[in-house]
Amino acid sequence: MKIDRTLMVILARALQAAADEMAANLIRSAFSAVVREARDCSTALLDSQGRVVAQADMIPMQTAALSASFAAAVEQLDLSNAGPRSFVLMNDPYSGGQHLNDIILFTPIFYGEELLGWSGSTAHHLDIGGGSAGVNTTAHELIQEGIVIPPLLLDIDRDWHGGMTERLIFANIRTPEIGMGDMDAQFAANHVGAQRVRELAERYGVETFRDAVREALDYSERRMRAAIAEIPDGSWRGEAFLDSDGREPAGKPIRIVATVSILGDEATLDFTGTDPQVRTMFNAPLASSIAGAVTALRSVLGDTEMPANDGCNRPLTMIFPEGSVLNPRPGAPVRARATACCRALDAVHDALAKVLPDRVPGEGANSTTGFFLAHKGPEGGIAIHLDVLGGGWGGANGYDAIHATDHVLSSCRLTPSEAIEQLNPHVRIEGFGLIQDSWGEGRFNGGQGIFRRFRILKDDVMLSLYSDRFRLAPRGRAGGRNGCSAELTVERNGELIELGATSTFALRAGDLVEIRLPGGGGWGPPEERDRNAVRRDLVDGFISSHVARNVYRLDIPDIAGAAAS
């Protein structure tokens, strides 16, 4: 049968629009600030075999792994009896999940008796139980991080809306009303996706719809293969490092190794040589590591517009040794998995910089900074502020990097100060901005890092943090300088207390907490930067006169003139 290519493109774009509409619905319906404001959530449409066909432009680490989650559900459940009121719920990192706070929901899409596919959504839930509110930074096994939900095939009328499963799950969560509100938002998002798919089947017919799904996957595969084929054949090795295992701040950095091999239109990403799994939450489950590796490769290919779906993965072979920090054995904690995935991305980029030096940027801040301020009221109840904070991206050949942005595997937004104060009466924001001289200087600069300053208004507030880049700053590329490092301090009665990248600390009313996050690495020698651009950076306050003079080698008369203007 001859395929109408124009119609196939229209239907593929309709599926993408439906996934985007799902995301908008989820964000607007959510109860928690981390979903509603930071947008720590993702949506996608899968075909009847569980392959991601269209995904919203949200969190690559979540959406790129949804097919792995569905595959685990297929392996563990009999989905042949799923009906229109069925749904699959899970969060188990060792069954294709991410970390426990990311609850994954799949709902089937039926058109009459025909199963057309599945709607999928993931949202980060503010609390998931475990050893402490929001996050347990001392966990050394998965079960200490919260309630583990293996893939479950459930019925919405029997098990939800006050049913046994809903009651069981939210009896183990400190913020049940917020959590149930966010779950309802996921159901609503999935419903929207299913409705749009049914409308397409109604308008164009089931067989035409299925043809469009197959073509969408094949089309992305063709474009992925063509982009890989532009890279010369060969094999290159790169590496990147986490500060430590999170338990011993001054301990040995954790090394991640990537060997990238290109043969024709296929690529192999081999992480053999990566350090073993650690005793802390900085391990990354396999689904997350795969997403990080795929994103790393795709981000430097010449084709930046190919549709993102499972067709992109067909030309790829990925190797993650079992027992490594990128593929830990079941039971290891994984809450801070994004940081190891970011280092997998950095290691792939380090390898590809040897063959594509003009395409690979400097390193960005590239770590998830989870910053928590939890307050338990004297009469019960708990308020948890969660900030998902970013820093600067890495500069690249041809452009300066962006500032104050979450890493490429996440893309969460910064929560507005007003929203933080509205929801958390124990916190007042007293400062928020860019950090002067924090980027890595180069011919093209990295992005600026940020600071946020919190005044604590009540006693009995618990600070928890997991982050990275406190010791090892983002590296510059091609002669560019490194970005700055991160810092966390508490000012109490005139004393400055320094905390590390993994911290739990009891706060008092009046304490001033400041978190400072890195700028990205620069690209190219800074003395080669355009002189007008350096003057503009100086006038705008991004750099000091000291850096203008001693790093960019700007002449003293130019510095005086720029300062005067």
Side-chain angles (χ1 to χ4, degrees):
M1 182 184 70
K2 185 178 180 181
I3 296 177
D4 183 337
R5 299 286 183 186
T6 302
L7 180 57
M8 295 299 103
V9 171
I10 291 171
L11 290 173
R13 291 302 305 162
L15 290 169
Q16 180 62 53
D20 290 336
E21 186 180 358
M22 291 170 65
N25 189 291
L26 174 50
I27 291 163
R28 294 190 178 199
S29 304
F31 277 36
S32 68
V34 71
V35 178
R36 188 180 66 249
E37 303 288 354
R39 303 190 173 193
D40 194 346
C41 59
S42 295
T43 56
L45 290 169
L46 296 78
D47 68 6
S48 58
Q49 299 177 54
R51 299 173 298 190
V52 172
V53 178
Q55 61 189 51
D57 188 14
M58 298 295 290
I59 311 293
M61 190 161 51
Q62 292 176 349
T63 48
L66 272 178
S67 56
S69 306
F70 192 86
V74 170
E75 183 178 340
Q76 298 181 34
L77 303 170
D78 179 7
L79 299 182
S80 62
N81 294 321
R85 302 294 285 173
S86 300
F87 66 98
V88 174
L89 193 71
M90 59 181 292
N91 74 348
D92 182 7
Y94 296 98
S95 296
Q98 299 281 317
H99 58 192
L100 296 182
N101 292 74
D102 285 349
I103 296 182
I104 299 167
L105 174 69
F106 295 111
T107 53
I109 305 172
F110 281 93
Y111 179 70
E113 299 296 321
E114 291 273 355
L115 176 64
L116 298 180
W118 296 77
S119 294
S121 62
T122 307
H124 180 105
H125 286 251
L126 186 61
D127 185 83
I128 200 69
S132 58
V135 63
N136 181 4
T137 62
T138 63
H140 56 82
E141 56 184 346
L142 181 69
I143 201 168
Q144 295 173 329
E145 297 188 312
I147 184 170
V148 181
I149 308 169
L152 302 174
L153 178 61
L154 303 171
D155 179 271
I156 193 165
D157 300 309
R158 181 194 65 209
D159 299 303
W160 216 249
H161 301 316
M164 290 183 293
T165 303
E166 182 188 66
R167 288 162 48 215
L168 172 64
I169 290 172
F170 289 103
N172 288 277
I173 290 174
R174 296 176 178 85
T175 53
E177 291 185 0
I178 293 174
M180 284 189 277
D182 285 353
M183 277 306 311
D184 286 344
Q186 288 186 247
F187 275 107
N190 284 22
H191 173 77
V192 167
Q195 184 63 27
R196 297 295 174 259
V197 167
R198 282 192 290 268
E199 289 169 357
L200 292 174
E202 174 72 25
R203 182 171 181 179
Y204 296 101
V206 170
E207 288 309 313
T208 300
F209 172 80
R210 293 192 190 281
D211 288 341
V213 166
R214 285 190 290 269
E215 177 58 20
L217 294 167
D218 292 344
Y219 178 66
S220 290
E221 178 186 1
R222 291 194 298 271
R223 289 185 63 165
M224 187 72 172
R225 288 187 180 278
I228 291 172
E230 293 177 357
I231 305 174
D233 286 356
S235 184
W236 307 271
R237 186 179 174 95
E239 62 182 15
F241 297 87
L242 284 77
D243 283 352
S244 71
D245 66 0
R247 177 167 295 177
E248 300 176 10
K252 180 178 73 105
I254 303 302
R255 180 173 179 249
I256 291 181
V257 176
T259 301
V260 180
S261 302
I262 304 295
L263 182 61
D265 61 1
E266 297 188 349
T268 299
L269 308 177
D270 184 352
F271 292 87
T272 299
T274 293
D275 279 353
Q277 66 189 68
V278 295
R279 300 168 294 170
T280 60
M281 59 182 173
F282 286 91
N283 302 294
L286 185 58
S288 298
S289 298
I290 290 171
V294 173
T295 305
L297 178 60
R298 283 200 56 202
S299 65
V300 297
L301 294 177
D303 184 349
T304 60
E305 301 294 332
M306 76 177 73
N309 59 43
D310 276 4
C312 298
N313 298 352
R314 291 173 178 171
L316 305 181
T317 299
M318 288 171 280
I319 301 170
F320 298 92
E322 184 179 5
S324 71
V325 72
L326 295 178
N327 186 14
R329 295 182 177 88
V334 296
R335 174 58 191 271
R337 92 283 186 210
T339 299
C341 294
C342 283
R343 295 301 162 269
L345 179 143
D346 290 337
V348 169
H349 282 183
D350 189 46
L352 288 173
K354 297 173 173 64
V355 65
L356 301 172
D358 291 338
R359 288 193 196 171
V360 178
E363 291 182 352
N366 286 5
S367 62
T368 288
T369 293
F371 179 90
F372 298 79
L373 296 171
H375 176 253
K376 182 176 290 188
E379 298 179 357
I382 191 165
I384 304 173
H385 165 57
L386 164 57
D387 244 346
V388 182
L389 295 166
W393 284 27
N397 185 30
Y399 60 88
D400 295 333
I402 54 178
H403 316 305
T405 305
D406 202 4
H407 58 83
V408 69
L409 297 179
S410 176
S411 302
C412 287
R413 295 189 176 188
L414 292 167
T415 302
S417 299
E418 296 83 357
I420 295 171
E421 293 180 347
Q422 181 184 35
L423 295 170
N424 300 281
H426 57 293
V427 171
R428 182 173 69 232
I429 305 297
E430 294 198 352
F432 180 36
L434 302 177
I435 304 172
Q436 187 182 64
D437 294 336
S438 61
W439 62 32
E441 301 86 0
R443 186 191 310 163
F444 299 99
N445 294 323
Q448 291 276 23
I450 61 170
F451 73 91
R452 210 167 214 169
R453 198 174 293 130
F454 304 82
R455 179 71 66 182
I456 305 304
L457 304 180
K458 298 184 179 183
D459 289 330
D460 302 318
V461 173
M462 185 63 68
L463 181 157
S464 299
L465 174 79
Y466 64 87
S467 188
D468 198 48
R469 303 292 202 196
F470 275 58
R471 295 172 63 196
L472 304 175
R475 297 179 294 187
R477 189 84 62 192
R481 291 167 64 98
N482 295 344
C484 71
S485 298
E487 297 176 355
L488 175 64
T489 58
V490 177
E491 184 181 329
R492 174 181 293 171
N493 299 327
E495 177 189 2
L496 197 66
I497 304 167
E498 295 186 6
L499 301 176
T502 306
S503 295
T504 299
F505 188 79
L507 297 170
R508 306 172 188 167
D511 287 349
L512 186 66
V513 181
E514 183 169 313
I515 179 80
R516 297 170 67 87
L517 295 168
W523 196 98
E527 59 271 18
E528 296 179 3
R529 183 166 176 78
D530 178 80
R531 298 294 90 182
N532 288 330
V534 177
R535 295 186 197 99
R536 185 172 62 249
D537 295 339
L538 183 61
V539 170
D540 290 342
F542 288 128
I543 61 173
S544 63
S545 57
H546 172 80
V547 166
R549 178 184 301 110
N550 294 294
V551 177
Y552 291 103
R553 305 299 181 187
L554 192 66
D555 292 338
I556 292 177
D558 284 343
I559 294 173
S565 65

